Amino acid sequence: MSGGDDNTTRGGGGSTSVRPARLRGPIEFVGRTAELAQLRRLVEAPPCLVLLEGEPGIGKSRLVTELLATLDGPHLVGECDDVPEPFPFGVLLEAIRAGADRLGPVDTLNPVAGALAPLLPELADALPAAPPPLADPAAERHRLLRAAAAVLTALSPATLLLEDLHWADPATCEFLGYLSARPVDGLAVLLTARTPPPGGSTPIHDVLSRTPRAVTRVPLGPLDADDVRRLAARTLRLDEPSPRLTATLLDRTAGIPFVVEEVLRTLAERGGDPLADDSVPFVLQDVLLWRLRPLDDATREVLGAAAVLGRAPDQRVLAAALAADRTTVGAALAAAHRAGVLHDDGEGLRFRHDLARQIVYHLVPRETREWLHLRVARVLEQELPRPVAQLAHHYRLAGSGADFVRNAEAAADLATERGDDATAADFLLQTMDVAELPRPVRARLAGKLGRSAIDGLSQATAIPVLERLLADRRLPPGTRGELGLVLGRMLRQQGEALRGYTEIERAVPYLRAPRRRAPALAVLAAPDTVVGRHVDDHLARYTEAEAAAVASRDPAAHLAVRIARASLLLELGDPGAWAIVEELRCSADLVDRPREHARACLNWAQGALHAGHLARATALLADGRELVEETGYQRLASLVEATELSLDRAAGRFDGLAERLSRLVVSAERMPVTLIDARADLATVLARTATGDDEVRAADGALRLVVTDARRVGAIWPLVQALSALARLVLRGRPDEAVRHATEALTLVRAKGILAWAADAVVVLAEAAALAGDPGRAAEAVAELEAGIAGRDAPLALAALRRCRELVPA
């Protein structure tokens, strides 16, 4: 702590008089001993990836500052902006620039590092030449991930600190997911981010949730009473603050370190009795109001405009926006610095924390704020290149809808050009809330939204917006098809199997372009997703998809349809399915698209599991896992793990399986498409391994919950499996109930038309009939199963049929 030397203090439990003293710099670091030791232990043993998270003001940046001060070796530091331009890897490139002087000779770098050269033109001489562009956008993105990793390898050993990752661009998030699976030797990666609100998430949390084993999370909570007491003692120069003072400070600051520090600064500076009601501020706003009190109106006006501009205001832009000279603006900011509202971080004056900026911002009357946003936007319009993301931000808050939409669309187009479809969709989604948007403009923007990849969007936000747009009967047909397809995909990703399938069905007639219609129809050809559709419907959809693919002359569309055909034939038990799978796997079309190759392998592995081909499922899973690791496609990581655990369950490898499945269920909360299947596997394992009454009851409850949820979303595969497992669980004690569950499973399978799926249920019916002394009661179901799998490649069903025939002879 720094301050004047003339402070006099008295400790003890009574009132204390404190002389004012101007405090400069951060207050002495207090507490966080365990967290600091944990972080140091982690970063001193690289490679590692650590996420430090907590609410605003909780002290994330202060803690990492203290940490870096104790570490040897270079630090690469980048900080995300709350209004970034649509530029991929922004915060990562900032950190790389900071360490560029440590790059070795160009000929010692991995040549793939040259892929970063177009993004870092100022380092063009330090990087290998940029390779020629690739035709496949996914391959191009993957090469950029490899390039970034190659540059970090050249800069290691080092500590990479990226701050405020809740504002990170999707490309940076994707890279960190890639890095978590392929750590760089000698590189300690330390990230800070705000904890998501309850029920919410951020792109960085979504990405890291899919790699739970590779990320160490360090949560920060409020300071405790002892930390607040010690902070008060050192700041107020008290020998021992009274318990009442400590309790009052803790109550009025909630133990949030930034607020505690600001309150203590104010107490130390203005003096008086710290226990007087008007001395201990109730909230941070009271602190800032007190600090603003001595400032004149002109200075407050500049400070308010600075808060509109951002946490680190540009004096040149401020002066232009206020039509003032820079000397006047500089003097006003200096006065705000003397008052303790701003601080100097070595690169200029800025708000100490975004919480402080927000309070100053909201002290400005709304009409004035809107005027200031408009003035700032007009100034930024003159810059080249135009900062379209900032312009969209300021025009939106100025209430200028047309200008906001113009710049948001430009930002989206720029993001699309750079291969960042998620950011493009985010900007376009915001435009949908502009009430006065003309219908033709709304349709055009909605069409762009539909064509953008939306995996990086918050689906809880996007789904109702898309539903509202589709409710407009005047929406152009092409736009309706694109948005319906996107909505269907999103609903499926959220685990809403039937709703998603239905939305895609509705969208298909409006998808005029065959290259768009073919992949949508290929999705509808998958039989293992929904109730209420017979396999003949899926076959018809495949036929339509094939015709659309031929008409499109698009290799990607044709590939999607061929992959869907192989998956469909595997589920049908068609003996020719494996020849098609092998043909596809050797084709250049699939090999040249590693992400599609990975997805196909995992889909086929699941089909092999359903049929009972465990060896083939194992081989396909291994190939799929390798492709996911090679491409860095972390969105499929949870599917890899789910398939592996399903394989272990099918093979009877139950040791430790329930615990592994439980972890998957927790991590799958942010990847709902795998959640019901994972819970069905877990419930089945619990049922298979239950011994005591308590374990049986737990398994019973878990299976019933899966049945309820699977019925709700219309997911047929986990529903049939859970009903069959539940029937077996209750067979000995409640045979009538077992028959009811098995019969429901059989009824669902009849409606689907793939009788092999009912094998477990028919075995239960046969065993129930045998237990009742009337084996003939199950004869019809057994005969139906036998006829349904005749000539089919279905090892599991054939084994089940043999068991049935032991109980119910023909």
Side-chain angles (χ1 to χ4, degrees), residues 100-114 124-129 146-147 149-156:
D101 58 342
R102 298 182 53 251
L103 286 171
V106 173
D107 58 4
T108 66
L109 295 177
N110 186 328
V112 77
D125 293 339
L127 295 173
R146 293 173 54 219
V151 172
L152 290 176
T153 299
L155 293 173
S156 295

Side-chain angles (χ1 to χ4, degrees), residues 45-48 149 152-159 179 182-189:
C48 64
L152 290 176
T153 299
L155 293 173
S156 295
T159 299
L179 200 62
R182 299 164 190 76
V184 170
D185 287 342
L187 182 68
V189 182

Side-chain angles (χ1 to χ4, degrees), residues 215-271:
V215 181
T216 302
R217 287 174 169 78
V218 180
L220 281 188
L223 298 178
D224 60 22
D226 188 54
D227 291 334
V228 171
R229 178 189 60 76
R230 287 188 290 137
L231 204 55
R234 296 175 186 182
T235 307
L236 301 179
R237 306 284 182 88
L238 301 173
D239 295 332
E240 183 61 38
S242 71
R244 183 182 166 206
L245 174 59
T246 299
T248 301
L249 286 168
L250 191 60
D251 176 63
R252 298 185 182 185
T253 64
I256 298 174
F258 175 69
V259 183
V260 175
E261 287 194 3
E262 294 302 292
V263 167
L264 288 172
R265 284 176 187 276
T266 304
L267 288 174
E269 292 168 5
R270 73 184 182 185

Side-chain angles (χ1 to χ4, degrees), residues 19-37:
R19 291 184 187 176
R22 180 64 59 200
L23 301 178
R24 298 294 184 191
I27 290 176
E28 185 172 344
F29 186 69
V30 168
R32 308 298 194 203
T33 304
E35 293 91 343
L36 184 59

Side-chain angles (χ1 to χ4, degrees), residues 222-431:
L223 298 178
D224 60 22
D226 188 54
D227 291 334
V228 171
R229 178 189 60 76
R230 287 188 290 137
L231 204 55
R234 296 175 186 182
T235 307
L236 301 179
R237 306 284 182 88
L238 301 173
D239 295 332
E240 183 61 38
S242 71
R244 183 182 166 206
L245 174 59
T246 299
T248 301
L249 286 168
L250 191 60
D251 176 63
R252 298 185 182 185
T253 64
I256 298 174
F258 175 69
V259 183
V260 175
E261 287 194 3
E262 294 302 292
V263 167
L264 288 172
R265 284 176 187 276
T266 304
L267 288 174
E269 292 168 5
R270 73 184 182 185
D273 181 359
L275 287 175
D277 286 343
D278 62 350
S279 290
V280 182
F282 283 87
V283 292
L284 182 59
Q285 181 169 311
D286 294 341
V287 169
L288 292 193
L289 285 172
W290 183 83
R291 292 189 182 166
L292 291 170
R293 191 182 306 165
L295 301 179
D296 59 30
D297 289 343
T299 299
R300 290 190 187 192
E301 181 183 4
V302 172
L303 190 60
V308 165
L309 193 54
R311 188 175 167 192
D314 184 318
Q315 290 191 31
R316 177 187 57 80
V317 176
L318 265 181
L322 294 172
D325 60 80
R326 291 188 61 176
T327 301
T328 300
V329 169
L333 295 179
H337 177 228
R338 290 193 297 273
V341 182
L342 301 178
H343 83 118
D344 192 341
D345 67 351
E347 297 182 1
L349 295 178
R350 62 186 294 162
F351 289 93
R352 192 178 300 278
H353 194 282
D354 196 55
L355 289 174
R357 185 198 67 80
Q358 289 176 28
I359 289 172
V360 173
Y361 177 85
H362 287 292
L363 289 173
V364 178
R366 182 177 60 83
E367 294 81 1
T368 304
R369 287 202 308 265
E370 292 179 352
W371 178 82
L372 285 168
H373 278 295
L374 187 61
R375 290 287 302 169
V376 167
R378 296 304 189 213
V379 172
L380 295 178
E381 285 276 15
Q382 309 308 312
E383 296 190 355
L384 292 175
R386 294 173 61 251
V388 286
Q390 294 183 55
L391 286 166
H393 166 77
H394 287 294
Y395 279 128
R396 179 173 61 84
L397 293 175
S400 180
D403 287 319
F404 160 66
V405 169
R406 172 171 56 87
N407 285 281
E409 183 177 12
D413 291 344
L414 185 59
T416 300
E417 289 174 13
R418 292 169 173 167
D420 188 354
D421 288 334
T423 294
D426 193 23
F427 278 109
L428 293 166
L429 194 63
Q430 294 177 53
T431 66

Side-chain angles (χ1 to χ4, degrees), residues 540-563:
R541 292 301 193 180
Y542 164 71
T543 301
E544 294 176 54
E546 189 174 42
V550 171
S552 74
R553 298 182 180 179
D554 180 6
H558 194 57
L559 178 63
V561 172
R562 292 161 68 199
I563 291 172

Side-chain angles (χ1 to χ4, degrees), residues 469-622:
L469 287 169
L470 287 165
D472 184 353
R473 295 184 177 182
R474 291 170 290 185
L475 199 64
T479 302
R480 181 175 298 282
E482 294 287 349
L483 294 184
L485 176 57
V486 168
L487 177 58
R489 287 173 49 207
M490 294 186 72
L491 288 168
R492 282 163 53 85
Q493 290 172 9
Q494 289 296 299
E496 295 285 344
L498 186 56
R499 284 183 63 201
Y501 192 95
T502 303
E503 286 295 342
I504 296 175
E505 280 184 321
R506 292 173 180 163
V508 164
Y510 299 102
L511 292 170
R512 304 288 177 81
R515 67 180 183 81
R516 298 293 291 164
R517 191 165 64 252
L521 287 163
V523 172
L524 300 180
D528 62 332
T529 52
V530 292
V531 299
R533 302 295 188 279
H534 193 271
V535 69
D536 289 344
D537 297 329
H538 298 300
L539 288 166
R541 292 301 193 180
Y542 164 71
T543 301
E544 294 176 54
E546 189 174 42
V550 171
S552 74
R553 298 182 180 179
D554 180 6
H558 194 57
L559 178 63
V561 172
R562 292 161 68 199
I563 291 172
R565 179 191 180 204
S567 298
L568 176 57
L569 295 181
L570 281 178
E571 295 292 352
L572 289 173
D574 189 312
W578 290 109
I580 298 171
V581 167
E582 292 309 314
E583 177 191 347
L584 274 170
R585 300 211 53 210
C586 295
S587 71
D589 286 342
L590 191 58
V591 171
D592 291 342
R593 293 175 172 83
R595 289 194 174 187
E596 289 304 314
H597 194 174
R599 195 191 305 275
C601 283
L602 294 173
N603 287 342
W604 295 333
Q606 290 175 332
L609 270 174
H610 294 172
H613 289 290
L614 301 192
R616 280 175 160 160
T618 300
L620 285 163
L621 172 61

Side-chain angles (χ1 to χ4, degrees), residues 634-700:
Q634 292 305 309
R635 180 161 287 276
L636 290 182
S638 62
L639 184 56
V640 169
E641 187 174 8
T643 306
E644 179 182 12
L645 295 177
S646 293
L647 181 58
D648 286 344
R649 176 190 59 77
R653 296 189 286 265
F654 294 141
D655 188 25
L657 185 55
E659 292 77 9
R660 292 161 61 204
L661 279 164
S662 296
R663 289 195 296 270
L664 175 62
V665 167
V666 171
S667 65
E669 292 291 346
R670 290 197 179 102
M671 193 65 174
V673 68
T674 63
L675 186 56
I676 287 184
D677 287 319
R679 286 173 45 214
D681 275 339
L682 174 59
T684 302
V685 169
L686 294 175
R688 292 281 184 89
T689 59
T691 53
D693 291 343
D694 289 344
E695 290 179 346
V696 170
R697 280 193 292 270
D700 186 287

